[in-house]
Amino acid sequence: MTKHSPTSHEASASNPVLEAIVARRSIHYLKPELPEGVTFDDIYHIVQECVKHTPTSFNSQVNRAFIVRGALHYKIWDQVVNKIKEPEYRARPLRIRDGAYGSIFFYVDENVTERNKVEHPEWAPVCEAYADQAMGAASIAAWTVMHNMGIGCNMQHYGKYMHDPNVLPEDIPSHWTMKCQLVFGVPDKDPNEKKFIENIVKVYE
Amino acid sequence: MTKHSPTSHEASASNPVLEAIVARRSIHYLKPELPEGVTFDDIYHIVQECVKHTPTSFNSQVNRAFIVRGALHYKIWDQVVNKIKEPEYRARPLRIRDGAYGSIFFYVDENVTERNKVEHPEWAPVCEAYADQAMGAASIAAWTVMHNMGIGCNMQHYGKYMHDPNVLPEDIPSHWTMKCQLVFGVPDKDPNEKKFIENIVKVYE
């Protein structure tokens, strides 16, 4: 094992995909609109492509999603607001309900995970982690593309406040598990500076 | 809830970040080189930026990584080859050992996950899933950038064949958990056509 001596990283310094990954931020203050030139079908196209093309263990393609705007977006987030009793925790879902244009709900299909466990018993203990890894990749990929197109987004984890069959679309299968919610609109305020903690990447050769 | 009528998705159809996500593939046949103009420090820069800028729950920044090439890459994958007894399962690690230029080992820091559980007890049951989601996002982001730069990659999950203190760098902390291995080099063969199964994205409004 020898110590690595730095050379240069010109080729990656200006890569547009890496630049988009670095630029992506949480935009918490949104207007309930889409940027000029962006349609609701752009959102659908982005989510569909990210769900379809994100790699998954055993090519099992475990990711699912649904997208809403309008009355159903309001109804779903209004439910979250009403289920939260502490006033200080209602501010965020209220801001989402009234400020975001729409929401994307990312799911994993548990039937796929169960099939992976049966077909690959040696890896059964990590099949759920694999599904989470793929879900994280698909949802953050969509977020990165949307940010790159000027759409403001923030990612939420309010799953446990979501499960009312009178509010969620009734044709969402019960074997889908909701993992996160990506809400979007037109940025209304710049994000604060991000605080970095420690992000260790070591090199050996 | 009304039926959605498609409009158009011109704005997203040619987005370079989405194009890179769609184009990323597993390249299983590699030469142990880097593409012209790409340095080992480009790999470091890409991984460092993806690890640093991938969003994490509670901004906990749980991702870690190390990168190897040369003798240590060979030694680590030779260990995997030797631990696998079935000849048909040795072909892949052999191909990685001899064909890839280097390897990136992605980890989560369990100390961070444990701290998240203590500081956010309401979410403790999902803190490990959050870490996997962030880890999947960081590793696939790096893979997408590298593919976009002409670097061939494939993602592996040989963690359980890796844990020999005589082979792994001794300063990797024991509270890091290795989650996956991204190996890279110069593409030596195009990937096969990918089979898509079902990737459901629904729309409501």
Side-chain angles (χ1 to χ4, degrees), chain B residues 72-118:
Chain B
L72 189 55
H73 168 88
Y74 188 94
K75 194 173 168 188
I76 290 173
W77 288 100
D78 191 54
Q79 166 191 228
V80 175
V81 171
N82 289 324
K83 281 185 178 163
I84 294 176
K85 298 300 162 220
E86 308 85 341
E88 70 272 28
Y89 293 125
R90 299 177 89 172
R92 182 175 290 194
L94 264 171
R95 208 160 59 210
I96 293 168
R97 185 193 73 182
D98 298 334
Y101 179 83
S103 325
I104 308 162
F105 300 83
F106 286 92
Y107 286 79
V108 299
D109 185 332
E110 303 291 355
N111 284 358
V112 174
T113 305
E114 291 309 309
R115 195 174 60 227
N116 280 345
K117 289 180 184 174
V118 170

Side-chain angles (χ1 to χ4, degrees), chain A residues 1 200-204, chain B residues 64-68 72 76 105 107-108 163 167-178:
Chain A
M1 203 174 308
I200 304 169
V201 176
K202 295 163 173 272
V203 179
Y204 306 92
Chain B
R64 306 284 180 267
F66 79 87
I67 310 169
V68 301
L72 189 55
I76 290 173
F105 300 83
Y107 286 79
V108 299
H163 300 296
V167 179
L168 285 189
E170 59 190 17
D171 58 344
I172 300 296
S174 61
H175 54 87
W176 289 17
T177 299
M178 191 196 289

Side-chain angles (χ1 to χ4, degrees), chain B residues 44-194:
Chain B
Y44 174 75
H45 179 67
I46 293 162
V47 175
Q48 177 71 78
E49 291 288 84
C50 289
V51 160
K52 181 175 175 182
H53 291 282
T54 292
T56 50
S57 57
F58 315 116
N59 193 25
S60 58
Q61 302 182 30
V62 71
N63 285 305
R64 306 284 180 267
F66 79 87
I67 310 169
V68 301
R69 65 174 170 183
L72 189 55
H73 168 88
Y74 188 94
K75 194 173 168 188
I76 290 173
W77 288 100
D78 191 54
Q79 166 191 228
V80 175
V81 171
N82 289 324
K83 281 185 178 163
I84 294 176
K85 298 300 162 220
E86 308 85 341
E88 70 272 28
Y89 293 125
R90 299 177 89 172
R92 182 175 290 194
L94 264 171
R95 208 160 59 210
I96 293 168
R97 185 193 73 182
D98 298 334
Y101 179 83
S103 325
I104 308 162
F105 300 83
F106 286 92
Y107 286 79
V108 299
D109 185 332
E110 303 291 355
N111 284 358
V112 174
T113 305
E114 291 309 309
R115 195 174 60 227
N116 280 345
K117 289 180 184 174
V118 170
E119 291 179 359
H120 308 278
E122 196 185 0
W123 306 102
V126 285
C127 282
E128 284 172 39
Y130 289 165
D132 274 299
Q133 290 162 22
M135 197 289 306
S139 58
I140 294 170
W143 182 3
T144 305
V145 174
M146 289 166 73
H147 189 97
N148 185 252
M149 291 173 60
I151 308 163
C153 302
N154 61 78
M155 180 76 87
Q156 301 302 328
H157 295 87
Y158 281 106
K160 65 178 172 179
Y161 299 105
M162 293 283 172
H163 300 296
D164 183 334
N166 296 318
V167 179
L168 285 189
E170 59 190 17
D171 58 344
I172 300 296
S174 61
H175 54 87
W176 289 17
T177 299
M178 191 196 289
K179 290 283 185 172
C180 63
Q181 306 87 40
L182 185 64
V183 300
F184 59 93
V186 164
D188 198 27
K189 208 191 217 183
D190 285 339
N192 296 327
E193 203 183 335
K194 185 170 177 178

Side-chain angles (χ1 to χ4, degrees), chain A residues 40-152:
Chain A
F40 192 52
D41 281 299
D42 282 307
I43 309 294
Y44 174 76
H45 179 67
I46 293 163
V47 175
Q48 177 70 80
E49 291 287 83
C50 289
V51 161
K52 182 174 175 183
H53 291 282
T54 291
T56 51
S57 57
F58 315 117
N59 193 24
S60 59
Q61 303 182 31
V62 69
N63 285 306
R64 306 285 179 268
F66 78 87
I67 311 169
V68 302
R69 64 175 172 183
L72 189 54
H73 167 88
Y74 189 94
K75 195 173 167 189
I76 289 173
W77 288 101
D78 191 53
Q79 166 191 227
V80 175
V81 170
N82 288 325
K83 281 185 180 163
I84 294 176
K85 297 301 161 218
E86 308 84 341
E88 70 272 29
Y89 293 124
R90 301 178 88 171
R92 182 176 291 194
L94 265 171
R95 207 160 60 209
I96 293 168
R97 184 193 73 183
D98 298 335
Y101 179 83
S103 325
I104 308 162
F105 300 83
F106 287 92
Y107 286 78
V108 299
D109 186 332
E110 303 291 356
N111 284 359
V112 174
T113 305
E114 292 308 310
R115 195 174 61 228
N116 281 343
K117 289 179 184 175
V118 170
E119 292 180 0
H120 309 277
E122 197 185 1
W123 305 103
V126 284
C127 282
E128 284 173 37
Y130 289 166
D132 275 298
Q133 291 161 22
M135 196 292 304
S139 58
I140 294 170
W143 183 0
T144 305
V145 173
M146 290 166 73
H147 189 98
N148 186 251
M149 291 173 59
I151 308 163

